[in-house]
Structures are given as structure tokens and as C-alpha cells.
Amino acid sequence: MPYLDIDNLQAVFLDDDALRARHLARLPCGPVQITSGRVVACDPLVQPERQPFARELQARGAFPVEVLHDKGRHALAVLWLRDRGSLRAADLNWQMALMEGESLEALGDGEFYGYPVDAGVGCFMDPDAAAAMAERDKREAADPDFISYYDDVLEGEMGDANVVDHYPLGPGSASNMVIFRSGWGDGSYPSFWALDAAGEPVALVTDFMIMEGGDARDEDDKRSDAYKASLSPEKAALDALGAATVEGDVAAIKALLGAGLAQSNEIIPSFGESAITSAIRMNQIDVLRVLLGAVQGLPMPPRLYRMDKDESYIDYARRLKKPRVEGLIELLEKAAAPAAKPGFLKRLFS
């Protein structure tokens, strides 16, 4: 069966809360002008002359474009041909967008037709916009200092932005292209029509294939989210412990630890590390003394992510590039010493 991740595609219909739970957000990009009834999806800096999809739209006019992204990395780009609020994902069928001469029967398992990306961007446009771009390119190329369409025209508009609404012949002209960064960058990316019960297209979605099953989280993200959810009653106390550690507020730390609201060696959700780790990293020796006084011996740092190193607090402190304040390493060594029994610790850290 050719590639088709329906859960990815249907993510464009999720509300903001559901998207947030999957580490996705919606970014409106402005409308694209469809003047001929045909749509091109391509890397406009590499293949602006790419053929439009074979399907012809009945409607003409300006249609909104948006991207779904994970911290700026685009997962999906969608051209809405009908108001999203009037649609239900369950009522739609999905069909790979094909150009003339392409056939699904020619594809093997997991294969797809996609547009090639070599400049790290994709777009939606009408073929009339491609013609306008060719006209602008020819005009700019007459300048002996001309380098490329990107350098001389697009870079000034796009800069570091993830999206640009580009009118090749200038604002107010008839044709534009909505350009967006393409997932992981270069590659080949398929597009799909969302069809209603009558077989009419209601949206066109490009899948940049940075996620599976409509979820942009990796296994570490899921583990982190599960950990945070499990700590819901205590999260505020742990975050308060983290804030007090950063500020060096010994009194607040003693109050939180004494009331049993948070533990020195628990992972602080907003930090992804324990208060002990934060105190070591920030050279907060007075804070560290209080935190160590609330635990027995010197525990191992808790691990939240798979890539976390299985190392002791002492090893962590020693490998930091910035030297630790005087006495900090010795404090850790004393806490880890065999003689560090509960009574000893009470005298050491009181």
C-alpha cells in the first residue's frame, strides 16, 4: 500500500488543546490566490516550473494556508478550500495528490509521489504565480550583479521567517505563493487531497513526515509528559523548589522540604532535573547544603530522558567546565562517604 498516514493528515482538524498535547501548534500563513483552478506544491527555488496537480478545482479566489509546527519545525502544510469549522475529519476520504501521468498502481508498499526539496522550503501556488516568478526572474537576471532569485528577491522578504507570502510581481498583483520551511529541510514530500462524500476536495495537505500517527512527540517527550502528568498535585511545589534554588532562597527551600511538599532528588518538571543538579550547576553551595541535608547519603541523579548519562552528582560536578565554588566538591564527597549516616548528615548540613 502506498504511503498514507491518515492520523498525520487528520491532525489538521484538531483543536488547539489537542494539538498542544501532541506538541503541535497552528500557524496561519495568509491566503494564496487560485486563479486558474490548478494548484502547484513545490520547492519554488528549485523547481518553480513543476507541473500542477491533475485535479482541477471548481472554485477560484483566495484560500487560506496554514502550517502545523512543533517549535517552528513544520509538520504539515494545509491549503483550505473550505472553511475548517464546517468539516468533520471522520466524513472525509484522503487521496494522494497526483500529477498527469502518475498512477497509484505504480507505487510499492510505503512509496509515494512527492515534490523534491533542495532549498529547504515548499509552497502552494497557482501555475499563474509560477509564470509571474519566471517573469520576475528574467527581469532581475538582466542586472549584471544578479546572483539568484533567492539572493536578489526572496531573501529580503523571508530572512529568518518560517513563512512568507510572496508576490513575484509585487504587492497588489494577481498572483502569489505562500512559502514555508519544509520539515527537516531537504527531501521529498507527498501531498494529499481531503475529499468530501461527493468526492470534492476540501483541503490539500503536504506531509513533511516529521511525525507518525499525528503526534510530534518522540519517546522522550512522551516520557516527560507522562512524568509531569503523574505529578500534577505536586507540580507547583516542585516548580517552587526549582525557583527557590535558582534564587538561592534557603528559607523557602527549608520550608518546602520541611513540609514534605517536594524532595531534593525529584525531577522538577519545568527544569527536567533535580534541585540538587540545579544547585551544583549554578554553584549554589548554601542551597546545596540544605538540599543534601534532606536526603540520606548522596543519591544518584534521577533520569528522565533516555539520553541522560548514568553518572553521579560528583562526576557531574567535576565535568562542568566552569570551576565549582570552593568547598562544593568536598561537600558532595562528604555526603557520599560511608560515614555519612543520618546523624552525621544532620550535623554536617545543619
Side-chain angles (χ1 to χ4, degrees), residues 6-319:
I6 292 179
D7 290 330
N8 273 4
L9 302 174
Q10 289 185 334
V12 300
F13 293 96
L14 297 175
D15 62 30
D16 289 346
D17 288 340
L19 288 175
R20 195 175 301 113
R22 303 178 185 209
H23 289 201
L24 290 168
R26 194 183 304 277
L27 175 65
C29 306
V32 66
Q33 303 292 333
I34 302 299
T35 49
S36 71
R38 306 292 287 276
V39 181
V40 178
C42 71
D43 179 338
L45 298 175
V46 172
Q47 203 179 34
E49 74 287 352
R50 186 174 175 83
Q51 294 180 48
F53 294 121
R55 183 181 293 275
E56 183 173 357
L57 306 179
Q58 299 302 312
R60 307 289 190 275
F63 296 93
V65 174
E66 63 184 21
V67 294
L68 267 60
H69 68 94
D70 173 22
K71 297 180 287 293
R73 189 174 300 284
H74 297 161
L76 303 167
V78 54
L79 168 63
W80 291 106
L81 304 170
R82 200 176 298 173
D83 179 60
R84 175 167 56 89
S86 67
L87 302 170
R88 288 197 331 136
D91 297 334
L92 303 177
N93 294 310
W94 294 93
Q95 185 179 94
M96 190 176 296
L98 305 176
M99 297 191 302
E100 295 289 349
E102 293 178 337
S103 169
L104 291 177
E105 286 70 28
L107 295 176
D109 188 37
E111 294 182 336
F112 59 85
Y113 293 109
Y115 65 81
V117 171
D118 196 41
V121 296
C123 80
F124 291 127
M125 64 177 173
D126 188 281
D128 291 340
M133 183 177 178
E135 180 182 339
R136 175 73 176 273
D137 187 58
K138 182 177 180 181
R139 191 168 67 200
E140 296 288 338
D143 186 331
D145 295 325
F146 177 77
I147 299 175
S148 69
Y149 194 91
Y150 175 78
D151 290 296
D152 292 76
V153 179
L154 196 58
E155 184 179 26
E157 292 184 39
M158 195 159 196
D160 294 328
N162 283 325
V163 174
V164 63
D165 182 6
H166 176 57
Y167 282 77
L169 298 182
S173 56
S175 298
N176 73 317
M177 56 185 70
V178 175
I179 303 172
F180 29 76
R181 305 287 181 188
S182 53
W184 294 109
D186 299 345
S188 182
Y189 304 108
S191 300
F192 300 85
W193 296 107
L195 306 175
D196 65 15
E200 291 298 316
V202 299
L204 177 65
V205 180
T206 297
D207 184 353
F208 289 118
M209 305 173 74
I210 73 164
M211 61 180 182
E212 294 181 0
D215 195 331
R217 300 176 300 167
D218 60 21
E219 291 306 311
D220 284 329
D221 290 330
K222 293 175 183 177
R223 184 180 177 189
S224 176
D225 286 350
Y227 172 75
K228 292 174 184 177
S230 73
L231 292 175
S232 53
E234 297 84 12
K235 180 177 178 181
L238 282 168
D239 282 342
L241 180 63
T245 299
V246 171
E247 295 166 7
D249 190 340
V250 170
I253 293 171
K254 286 182 177 179
L256 288 164
L257 296 176
L261 297 175
Q263 303 298 322
S264 301
N265 203 42
E266 283 185 291
I267 294 172
I268 299 166
S270 57
F271 287 16
E273 64 185 17
S274 72
I276 295 175
T277 301
S278 295
I280 294 170
R281 178 169 51 80
M282 301 184 70
N283 262 332
Q284 295 273 24
I285 189 169
D286 291 335
V287 167
L288 182 60
R289 185 174 288 109
V290 174
L291 294 171
L292 292 178
V295 295
Q296 184 172 341
L298 185 64
M300 286 291 290
R303 296 179 63 187
L304 181 57
Y305 302 113
R306 290 174 301 170
M307 71 282 292
D308 287 346
K309 291 185 176 181
D310 192 10
E311 64 177 352
S312 70
Y313 280 119
I314 295 175
D315 290 337
Y316 170 70
R318 286 171 175 161
R319 73 173 171 82

